[in-house]
Amino acid sequence: MTRTIKFCVAGFGNVGRRFTELLLEKETELRERFGCEMRLTGLCTRSMGALLNPSGIDMRAALEMKRKLGHFDPNSPDFRRCDTAEMIERADAELFIELSTLSIEDGEPAASYIRKALRRGMDVITANKGPEAWHFKELEALAEENGRRFLYETVVMDGTPIFNLVRETLRGNRILGVRGILNGTTNFILGELERGESFESAVKEAQRIQIAEANPSMDIDGWDGAAKICALANILMNAETNPKKVSVESISGLRAPDIEWARQQGGRIKYICRAERGGEGGELRLSVKPEFIPFDDPLCGVNGTSAALTLYTDLAGELTITQTNPGILQTAYGIYSDLLTLTASGR
Ligand code: HSE
């Protein structure tokens, strides 16, 4: 028997577009293998307007409007001038997918949208690391209070199963610490410096290939990494921290001689995000810093825009998972995997 999942979405940028395309590509598989049919009932953006129709919005038509016009057509019968809060109230959806633009300063407005959706009895999937970095405990508690799920697989390492791995597969383990290369832009820049490119041209290239944040300082000065390490610590290590508590050092001062020095010492400089506790129950220390990594360390060979994470566990030991040059499909897949987690839990 096929069941219909009514969902609404905040944000329709590259990730929203690719996720919508993925839903259409997987329509038959979703129905035949997972027994569900997705019905989009609301789609709200900051700059393109909103579409609202509890009976269902044509996803192909929404994609076509974005592609052809760059905004939703005001003459479309589903077009509305409403904001995300109003859409959540009026979309008659059971699932809210939050893909709005990140505010690293406070995790808003994403966190407020998520609160609203959970209070209205909706499950929530987000691609936004801000809410987990700033408000994870509160949002998780709110989800539980309302008997709903709050899922976020794609926020760190785009679609690589980090949170699923710990939740579903590493059962019984405690995560004692994590460290990783979690920002593709800075890993790419370090590689370019090794190839003899200047810092400035490496940043420009990172912008050209669209991996850098709109403001590349968010990458270079460590704020993207700080948000990711806080999300990891809050979710996996039972922490209640936020990006202001991370000791952050920019890579902007690094130049060719630093790279050469590392090579002579038998390693490379990598931009490492860390969360560790000083002993049993000790204080949580969080950092995002350029570190010397020896050639035989699993993080040393992580090149280009790739990412990697080492988990230190009490029972399974030390595990490192690598993702090679992720693209937008992997980010969209992370959201899709959360959707399948929901359907598997009987939603
Ligand atoms: N600017 C980020 C990065 C995008 O370079 O990793 C993905 O979070």
Side-chain angles (χ1 to χ4, degrees), residues 129 155 158 182-186 211-213 219 224 228 305:
K129 57 207 151 223
V155 305
D158 314 82
L182 302 178
N183 180 268
T185 301
T186 46
I211 49 162
E213 297 294 315
D219 300 295
D224 178 72
K228 287 170 178 165
T305 60

Side-chain angles (χ1 to χ4, degrees), residues 235-302:
I235 297 167
L236 300 181
M237 296 173 68
N238 198 26
E240 272 183 273
T241 192
N242 69 62
K244 278 200 182 129
K245 299 189 180 156
V246 183
S247 168
V248 176
E249 207 178 286
S250 172
I251 62 156
S252 61
L254 286 176
R255 291 294 179 270
D258 305 302
I259 304 295
E260 180 52 24
W261 168 85
R263 198 185 61 77
Q264 283 171 9
Q265 302 301 309
R268 299 169 86 185
I269 293 181
K270 289 287 179 193
Y271 204 27
I272 304 294
C273 304
R274 272 184 196 275
E276 53 200 9
R277 288 194 192 280
E280 184 73 17
E283 196 198 337
L284 181 71
R285 289 190 299 255
L286 300 149
S287 62
V288 178
K289 288 184 178 158
E291 290 187 21
F292 171 79
I293 301 291
F295 285 135
D296 61 358
D297 187 302
L299 296 193
C300 193
V302 176

Side-chain angles (χ1 to χ4, degrees), residues 166 170 172-180 229 232-239 273-287 309-319:
V166 173
L170 287 174
N173 278 276
R174 268 198 314 135
I175 305 301
L176 306 174
V178 297
R179 62 156 200 174
I229 198 66
L232 286 166
N234 288 341
I235 297 167
L236 300 181
M237 296 173 68
N238 198 26
C273 304
R274 272 184 196 275
E276 53 200 9
R277 288 194 192 280
E280 184 73 17
E283 196 198 337
L284 181 71
R285 289 190 299 255
L286 300 149
S287 62
L309 183 74
T310 303
L311 298 167
Y312 300 94
T313 74
D314 61 343
L315 303 178
E318 182 182 321
L319 308 171

